[in-house]
Amino acid sequence: MQQITAARPQPDTRTHGSFEITAQITVDGGYSINTLTATGGTRIPELCFSTPDRDTYRLVYAVIREGGINQVHPDGVRAALTDALIRELHEVQRRRDSASVSRIEHINNLLDRFDTPADEAMLTELRETFGRSIDETVPAGQQPQVARSRSNVERKPLTAAQTRIAAGHTNGIIRAGKGVGWLSLKSMVRKGYADILTQAGQKITAIRLNERGLAAGAVA
């Protein structure tokens, strides 16, 4: 007897402003998002994801779609996506039900991708592809918030690169610049090693290491 298998849905590709987004159900029943520039078809690795959780997939897709429609640069979308996932994680954690356990794991798995900042050369290449720098926007009167930790139970250690950044502080202060990306500073704050000193929109321009951060830098 011939075995009949259900056909997997075909990829759904749509253009949203500056991005071409392809959504697809994976072989194992999960969801994948592949993002390219609408002009030129350059793949944007930092905006390509897969997750087994449908609600998380919908959130990621919505943020990337909005970024494309508003012509936000990929690294700005990545920052907005990080913030959206953190807000969602905190909301799910507050529910304290069994159904939320797997969602917490799925969201954390995506957030783990942002702990290591993207290579500056790749970001420069993306900026050149888009041909212009697009300012990130924050609603009037509001300042973006950076969660100090995703979990109330544990905080992840600094990466080797972040430890070196901590070691290079001046009187506990670290400023964004050559070799020190704002995403690195944001991650250090989120992990609980520093507090925001100054920022411009969503981009953190300087942080002040706390006791934990100073200790981490001292052993580098």
Side-chain angles (χ1 to χ4, degrees):
M1 180 181 295
Q2 183 179 5
Q3 183 178 6
I4 300 176
T5 58
R8 207 157 36 101
Q10 293 300 307
D12 180 62
T13 300
R14 305 187 185 192
T15 299
H16 299 286
S18 55
F19 298 151
E20 180 183 281
I21 307 173
T22 297
Q24 184 175 14
I25 296 178
T26 59
V27 176
D28 58 2
Y31 304 87
S32 69
I33 295 174
N34 193 44
T35 307
L36 291 74
T37 58
T39 302
T42 301
R43 188 172 184 269
I44 308 173
E46 294 303 309
L47 299 182
C48 296
F49 302 91
S50 62
T51 176
D53 182 66
R54 187 173 185 177
D55 289 334
T56 303
Y57 148 75
R58 286 177 168 175
L59 173 63
V60 171
Y61 189 99
V63 173
I64 297 176
R65 177 183 60 199
E66 182 177 359
I69 292 173
N70 291 310
Q71 303 287 307
V72 178
H73 193 273
D75 52 341
V77 176
R78 188 175 97 148
L81 184 55
T82 301
D83 291 339
L85 286 169
I86 290 173
R87 288 194 300 270
E88 181 72 5
L89 179 63
H90 291 168
E91 175 61 32
V92 173
Q93 287 175 328
R94 281 194 290 268
R95 296 173 191 165
R96 298 182 180 277
D97 55 34
S98 57
S100 299
V101 175
S102 60
R103 276 225 66 202
I104 291 172
E105 180 181 358
H106 299 323
I107 295 172
N108 269 320
N109 286 340
L110 284 184
L111 281 168
D112 282 344
R113 291 192 51 183
F114 300 113
D115 285 344
T116 302
D119 183 77
E120 286 297 323
M122 185 194 73
L123 294 179
T124 299
E125 182 180 351
L126 286 173
R127 292 188 184 98
E128 292 173 352
T129 298
F130 273 69
R132 63 182 182 278
S133 176
I134 303 170
D135 292 334
E136 299 166 43
T137 59
V138 178
Q142 295 184 18
Q143 289 295 325
Q145 300 297 314
V146 180
R148 182 166 295 180
S149 171
R150 298 203 304 267
S151 171
N152 294 325
V153 179
E154 65 177 6
R155 289 172 175 169
K156 304 188 75 173
L158 295 178
T159 63
Q162 292 166 350
T163 300
R164 290 193 294 271
I165 291 173
H169 72 84
T170 301
N171 296 325
I173 296 174
I174 302 172
R175 301 185 185 279
K178 186 176 181 180
V180 181
W182 68 276
L183 290 171
S184 291
L185 301 184
K186 181 172 185 175
S187 180
M188 293 169 72
V189 170
R190 182 163 61 83
K191 290 178 177 180
Y193 289 86
D195 297 305
I196 298 173
L197 188 62
T198 59
Q199 66 185 91
Q202 291 188 8
K203 293 186 177 181
I204 296 174
T205 54
I207 61 174
R208 187 188 302 277
L209 294 177
N210 54 27
E211 184 177 349
R212 191 162 176 252
L214 291 170
V219 298

